[in-house]
Amino acid sequence: MKITSIKSHVLRYELEKELGYSQQYYKHRTAHLVEVQTDEGITGWGECFGPGNIALANKFIVEKVIQPLVIGEDPLNKEYIWQKVYNLLRDSGQKGMPIQALSGVDIALWDILGKKTNTPLYQLVGGKCNNEVPVYGYGMMLQKKSVDELIALFKEESKQIKSKNFKAMKMKVGLGPNQDLKLVRAVRDSVGKDFKLMVDANHAYNLKDALYIGKGLDELDIYWFEEPVAPEDYDGYRELKQKISTSIAGGEAEFTKYGWNKLISNKCIDIAQPEVCGLGGITEYLKVAALAQANFIPVINHVWGSAVSIAVNLHLLTAQPDMPGGLFPSKSMLEFDTTEKNIFITDLPNEEFSILDQVKNNNGFASVTDNVGIGINPDEDFIKEFEVNE
């Protein structure tokens, strides 16, 4: 079997309202799918992490840089292809967009392997460790409103997320230390003290402000404090981890086993959040997960994107053993977007695929299907309707 072409599809549509996080606000939702075709008629699908115009830049890398390197290769030789591409890009892209682009291609190769062998992805990466996976909802995105207006919105949204049977929820912060703590206190009061609540700063703070907020979060029994400082600030992560009791989570902006080795060896995090669509794909994700396990760090994947990303992560978490392993081991959770209806999740797949229905009907859990490969195939008419041709 040979790779005959690699196509890149950037999808976009306008949101009903502008949403944001600490670094920016956005009015459009985007997704970047990768389609790898073979001479046996088997097509694999993957996804690249990266919103907005970043997706357009990654599209160029996929089609104009990576594709010429792998045309004619056997798609089942995933490790060889990964190393070939990485080594040839090494001088220009050890992190960032080149690795995001490689991630989508690599995921598509695993999908091809599953279809070629008539095997679901979870069986290819180790088999079933979990019959079902707990799901947490992330919402409460920032908007250009006053703190008091956001408090009212966040309190209502948090109640809605809880009512849908999610096992936990995550909110955004990044307005400023005092305003952020007011927001978190309001949501904590709304959902009650016994419900898991996580706080995501998207690296909004310097160390001093992160310490101030972290000590406030300690009093509110927050499950984790995500990306409190810049991803390059290993010293800041380590000091914050030492000085507050709330677990420090991070890693969505880290790439490959090399970057993850530094993050872990510097004792920066309590919870690892690898982004499979960004760090190098499934081939590299498995090595990062092994690094985390070897250091007794729980893995709770970062998930952002379309139904393709969610399907891939559901397989990976199905095959993931409880960590760190002991009398009361922790079980990973699947992250799921609960903001306004995301048609790249609900309407993209040809197959029946509804995490929301599963969460509602199964008391907060979702289960993988035995469909081969990643388990879903995008509707090509849907792709044509929302594809950006720039």
Side-chain angles (χ1 to χ4, degrees):
M1 184 161 51
K2 304 293 183 184
I3 296 172
T4 56
S5 74
I6 302 178
K7 298 179 180 178
S8 180
H9 307 281
V10 176
L11 313 182
R12 183 171 65 196
Y13 71 92
E14 187 170 349
L15 295 167
E16 292 182 4
K17 59 186 177 184
E18 191 175 50
L19 298 175
Y21 55 100
S22 65
Q23 303 301 320
Q24 66 173 329
Y25 292 85
Y26 57 93
K27 192 67 186 292
H28 293 87
R29 199 187 297 278
T30 55
H32 180 192
L33 307 182
V34 174
E35 177 185 6
V36 177
Q37 298 178 338
T38 69
D39 61 356
E40 292 189 9
I42 298 175
T43 298
W45 290 93
E47 181 162 359
C48 302
F49 181 75
N53 291 334
I54 291 171
L56 295 174
N58 282 339
K59 174 182 173 69
F60 188 93
I61 297 171
V62 168
E63 294 185 342
K64 303 300 184 181
V65 180
I66 296 178
Q67 179 177 220
L69 300 177
V70 300
I71 288 291
E73 296 286 0
D74 184 340
L76 304 187
N77 294 334
K78 303 179 303 306
E79 184 71 31
Y80 170 79
I81 289 172
W82 197 97
Q83 295 295 338
K84 177 181 180 180
V85 173
Y86 182 80
N87 288 335
L88 290 173
L89 296 181
R90 184 177 237 139
D91 291 348
S92 305
Q94 300 159 24
K95 294 178 180 284
M97 289 186 286
I99 306 303
Q100 292 173 344
L102 176 56
S103 300
V105 175
D106 180 80
I107 291 168
L109 299 185
W110 281 88
D111 190 33
I112 289 171
L113 174 61
K115 290 170 177 173
K116 174 69 173 178
T117 59
N118 199 36
T119 306
L121 174 61
Y122 75 83
Q123 290 184 343
L124 296 174
V125 296
K128 187 175 284 187
C129 289
N130 305 289
N131 290 319
E132 54 184 9
V133 175
V135 186
Y136 80 84
Y138 85 81
M140 291 168 281
M141 304 286 288
L142 300 181
Q143 298 179 46
K144 293 178 181 177
K145 298 178 181 294
S146 70
V147 176
D148 290 339
E149 288 175 310
L150 281 179
I151 284 174
L153 289 172
F154 279 24
K155 289 177 73 171
E156 179 59 30
E157 189 174 352
S158 62
K159 290 176 182 176
Q160 291 178 4
I161 294 172
K162 186 176 180 180
S163 72
K164 293 174 182 175
N165 284 346
F166 286 95
K167 288 297 185 184
M169 71 179 71
K170 185 168 75 179
M171 62 179 291
K172 296 292 189 183
V173 294
L175 302 175
N178 292 319
Q179 293 173 313
D180 287 341
L181 286 176
K182 285 180 66 175
L183 275 178
V184 179
R185 287 192 194 100
V187 174
R188 170 51 81 202
D189 290 342
S190 175
V191 301
K193 64 180 181 180
D194 297 325
F195 194 82
K196 285 182 180 176
L197 175 62
M198 294 84 81
V199 172
D200 185 2
N202 293 106
H203 49 83
Y205 308 115
N206 58 33
L207 177 60
K208 181 179 179 180
D209 287 341
L211 281 168
Y212 175 84
I213 294 172
K215 290 174 181 177
L217 299 183
D218 285 347
E219 299 175 3
L220 296 170
D221 196 23
I222 299 304
Y223 193 56
W224 75 60
F225 188 12
E226 181 172 333
E227 277 205 308
V229 295
E232 304 95 332
D233 187 6
Y234 295 138
D235 291 341
Y237 262 102
R238 183 172 57 249
E239 185 171 344
L240 191 62
K241 182 174 176 292
Q242 292 169 347
K243 291 185 176 179
I244 71 170
S245 11
T246 300
S247 291
I248 301 300
E252 72 179 78
E254 193 54 84
F255 300 88
T256 75
K257 57 185 168 290
Y258 306 113
W260 271 91
N261 185 51
K262 290 187 67 176
L263 188 69
I264 290 173
S265 63
N266 277 280
K267 302 186 183 303
C268 294
I269 52 174
D270 299 295
I271 295 170
Q273 295 178 301
E275 169 54 70
V276 67
C277 297
L279 65 80
I282 296 169
T283 297
E284 202 69 352
Y285 167 89
L286 296 174
K287 296 166 185 174
V288 168
L291 275 172
Q293 290 166 5
N295 287 274
F296 299 95
I297 299 173
V299 174
I300 302 181
N301 296 354
H302 179 266
V303 184
W304 178 94
S306 77
V308 171
S309 170
I310 293 168
V312 169
N313 278 280
L314 187 53
H315 278 276
L316 295 175
L317 296 178
T318 295
Q320 182 175 286
D322 294 346
M323 285 299 293
L327 183 60
F328 301 107
S330 64
K331 187 174 289 294
S332 189
M333 297 184 287
L334 175 69
E335 181 176 11
F336 186 80
D337 178 4
T338 60
T339 57
E340 67 175 63
K341 181 182 177 182
N342 185 341
I343 61 173
F344 293 157
I345 297 173
T346 57
D347 298 0
L348 175 67
N350 281 316
E351 296 78 7
E352 183 67 29
F353 185 76
S354 177
I355 300 297
L356 272 176
D357 287 346
Q358 288 201 58
V359 168
K360 181 179 179 180
N361 298 329
N362 300 325
N363 193 31
F365 289 86
S367 299
V368 76
T369 71
D370 281 330
N371 295 344
V372 300
I374 67 172
I376 63 169
N377 291 279
D379 182 322
E380 295 190 24
D381 289 334
F382 181 92
I383 289 176
K384 290 176 183 177
E385 181 178 355
F386 292 96
E387 187 162 13
V388 178
N389 295 305
E390 294 183 8

